[in-house]
Amino acid sequence: MKENIFVTEGRLNRLKYFKYTLLVSLIFGVLDVVLVWLTSKIIGSTDSFLLLIMHFMTMLPMMFGNMMVSVRRCHDLNLSGGFVLLTIVPLVCVLFWIYLLLAKGTVGWNKYGADPLMLE
């Protein structure tokens, strides 16, 4: 977990992909809950445009971080990072995420670099 999450170069195996996705989601999920709770306490209401903005401000980096990690996972499968754009389509997003979690990466070198399992 020493690597930068917000990098698209290189490859990422299934286990690290799962760990990074889980880590990013947990960090920003907890941050979202805390910020929305604090904002609701400060303004005294749960129906506010400010709450929506706070939620958006925490979800945007989470989505960006998970997309960057997914690009590296695509590279491990010898796919272009552009396939991450499939996550825009709701049902396809879930199927694509399952594919990224379960598909075995390319053995050995591919055009995106060395096999991450060989480097460990």
Side-chain angles (χ1 to χ4, degrees), residues 1 12-20 73 101 120:
M1 295 293 223
L12 202 61
N13 63 33
R14 290 179 281 194
L15 181 60
K16 280 190 177 181
Y17 172 71
F18 177 73
K19 287 179 182 178
Y20 282 142
R73 180 67 186 130
L101 279 175
E120 293 179 348

Side-chain angles (χ1 to χ4, degrees), residues 28-49:
F28 285 103
V30 168
L31 181 64
D32 179 52
V33 168
V34 169
L35 285 176
V36 169
W37 179 79
L38 283 174
T39 306
S40 68
K41 291 298 179 190
I42 290 170
I43 62 175
S45 171
T46 57
D47 297 329
S48 171
F49 185 68

